[in-house]
Amino acid sequence: MKSTRRRWLMMAWVSAAWGLALTGCSTKKILNYRIDSEYHVTDPQFARTMNSLLGPSIISGNKIQTLRNGDEIFPAMLDAIRGAKSTITFETYIYWKGDTGKTFTDALSERAKSGVRVHVLIDWLGSAKIERGFFKQMKEAGVDVRTYHPFYFYDINSFQQIDHRTHRKILVTDGRVGFTGGVGIADEWTGHAQGPGHWRDNHYRIEGPAVAQLQAVFLDNWMQTTGQVLNGADYFPELPPAGEEFAQVFKSSAQGGSESMQLMFLLSLAAAEKTVRIESAYFVPDALTKRELIAARRRGVEVEIIVPGSKIDEKIVRRASRATWGPMLKEGVRIYEYQPTMFHCKLMIVDGEWVSLGSSNFDNRSFRLNDEANLNVLNGPFAREQVRMFEQDKEKAHEINYTAWLKRPLREKILEHTSSLLAWEL
């Protein structure tokens, strides 16, 4: 989720900073990956490729529970926080004022007062709407709470980092139970997507060895921000098998080769044989991503994508997205706009076997600017559960075909084209 006013300010600050530093605005090289379709997602070579090229390893023994919307997500997260005995690590982009923010602040503060070591990392830009009293309350309770890449006008490093945000959503309690997905800490996620004021989203509860990978992703930004290395059995306990899923927690960072997130998606698309199903809150594919989606269609793969409809928090993103649809629709990619409320899900399912879910959208910001974290799962039953959920979402969405896309009003075409020129920053 994003703030238009903040983003425009951010863009102006970045340009001014580079001008003052006399460094100019460098053009970031876009890698033009070319990936042959040589194996499918259930071929052992696919897992070996993911392990070797991207890492960490896809490991067995995990139990992953799907949580839909705030009515399921927030109680599960709060139960884990309130039940923590030794440590809590929590990283998020959105943390806003309101009842939800207050409830989480109270729960984290109570655990810290009880002697639990609580570490909270909140993105500076994403927390623009936070109640400042939340920070005060947590700090007074003993929570070690920090902001990621705070901005200071007097610090040139702030200008250089302001466009690099943590978009990750990570909660780990006692090193044993983890959560990740798309949800932010705000009242917009409450309820069960029953109306415009209650957003549609997914989050996931994890047990098993993959929790240690999720904890390591949290430490990636925590160490960068604080210099503290959290270690030992309270953070990384022995984790026996908890379920049947093979899983991998995969991260990307603008400071560590962020194109790796896009590479993961492209490898997945290239391995598709039958179906690709995508849900994305902000779907603004670049030329490379469009090429791979079209290549999948030309191999006979059924490609379906669900995106937000008119009820979206960022109109400019929807316009920029729609500007890209023509070539994909012409090739038979099917695109649906979700109707009841803001659609914030981030999910890809390939051939009913391989799933990638988490914080990353299909846009340049997720691929090249943000710090992101996705949970990748190789398990047929889990994937088919996500397919059923996808089909339920599709029932509440309106399909946009190629003819309808061509016939949209001239004013919309102009606005969409203009918005697409800002695609890098969206």
Side-chain angles (χ1 to χ4, degrees), residues 137-191:
Q137 178 181 338
M138 284 191 279
K139 288 178 180 179
E140 289 179 349
V143 176
D144 191 355
V145 56
R146 311 293 183 98
T147 53
Y148 186 74
H149 286 180
F151 179 78
Y152 305 105
F153 276 103
Y154 54 82
D155 184 356
I156 188 61
N157 290 327
S158 291
F159 285 101
Q160 295 170 345
Q161 295 177 345
I162 196 169
D163 214 20
H164 298 154
R165 313 314 315 169
T166 179
H167 196 240
R168 297 169 183 169
K169 287 86 175 176
I170 297 170
L171 171 65
V172 179
T173 59
D174 296 334
R176 298 182 180 279
V177 177
F179 293 83
T180 194
V183 74
I185 307 304
D187 291 344
E188 280 77 356
W189 278 271
T190 58

Side-chain angles (χ1 to χ4, degrees), residues 103-349:
T103 301
F104 273 82
T105 298
D106 289 345
L108 293 165
S109 299
E110 187 279 327
R111 285 292 78 200
K113 288 180 179 178
S114 298
V116 175
R117 283 162 285 173
V118 183
H119 312 276
V120 176
L121 183 61
I122 305 173
D123 187 78
W124 174 82
L125 188 64
S127 62
K129 298 181 183 179
I130 197 171
E131 172 62 53
R132 294 295 145 180
F134 294 170
F135 283 119
K136 183 175 185 291
Q137 178 181 338
M138 284 191 279
K139 288 178 180 179
E140 289 179 349
V143 176
D144 191 355
V145 56
R146 311 293 183 98
T147 53
Y148 186 74
H149 286 180
F151 179 78
Y152 305 105
F153 276 103
Y154 54 82
D155 184 356
I156 188 61
N157 290 327
S158 291
F159 285 101
Q160 295 170 345
Q161 295 177 345
I162 196 169
D163 214 20
H164 298 154
R165 313 314 315 169
T166 179
H167 196 240
R168 297 169 183 169
K169 287 86 175 176
I170 297 170
L171 171 65
V172 179
T173 59
D174 296 334
R176 298 182 180 279
V177 177
F179 293 83
T180 194
V183 74
I185 307 304
D187 291 344
E188 280 77 356
W189 278 271
T190 58
H192 202 58
Q194 68 267 32
H198 304 273
W199 290 11
R200 169 76 185 93
D201 211 342
N202 300 323
H203 222 62
Y204 298 84
R205 185 182 187 275
I206 312 163
E207 294 179 84
V211 175
Q213 295 182 350
L214 188 65
Q215 185 79 293
V217 175
F218 169 84
L219 284 177
D220 177 52
N221 278 340
W222 184 259
M223 289 188 295
Q224 179 196 137
T225 302
T226 69
Q228 297 175 355
V229 181
L230 308 178
N231 61 88
D234 288 340
Y235 297 95
F236 292 97
E238 182 178 356
L239 296 172
E244 303 297 323
E245 285 91 355
F246 285 79
Q248 167 195 52
V249 179
F250 175 75
K251 68 180 175 67
S252 68
S253 172
Q255 299 172 88
S258 62
E259 286 85 355
S260 54
M261 182 62 78
Q262 185 177 30
L263 178 59
M264 184 275 294
F265 282 123
L266 297 177
L267 286 167
S268 301
L269 293 174
E273 286 191 313
K274 300 174 183 177
T275 58
V276 170
R277 295 176 173 92
I278 295 169
E279 296 187 332
S280 183
Y282 308 107
F283 179 75
V284 190
D286 62 7
L288 182 55
T289 304
K290 286 186 289 185
R291 187 183 75 192
E292 290 302 324
L293 289 166
I294 289 171
R297 273 298 304 139
R298 290 176 176 172
R299 296 196 309 270
V301 177
E302 179 183 338
V303 180
E304 295 183 295
I305 303 167
I306 302 177
V307 298
S310 59
K311 297 179 179 66
I312 184 172
D313 64 323
E314 290 293 342
K315 302 294 184 183
I316 191 173
V317 176
R318 181 176 181 233
R319 289 169 180 152
S321 176
R322 288 163 67 93
T324 70
W325 293 359
M328 293 182 289
L329 292 172
K330 190 175 182 179
E331 291 288 343
V333 173
R334 303 183 72 178
I335 300 178
Y336 306 82
E337 291 189 325
Y338 192 78
Q339 299 300 303
T341 186
M342 169 61 186
F343 190 75
H344 201 257
C345 300
K346 308 160 198 304
L347 178 71
M348 178 179 67
I349 316 159

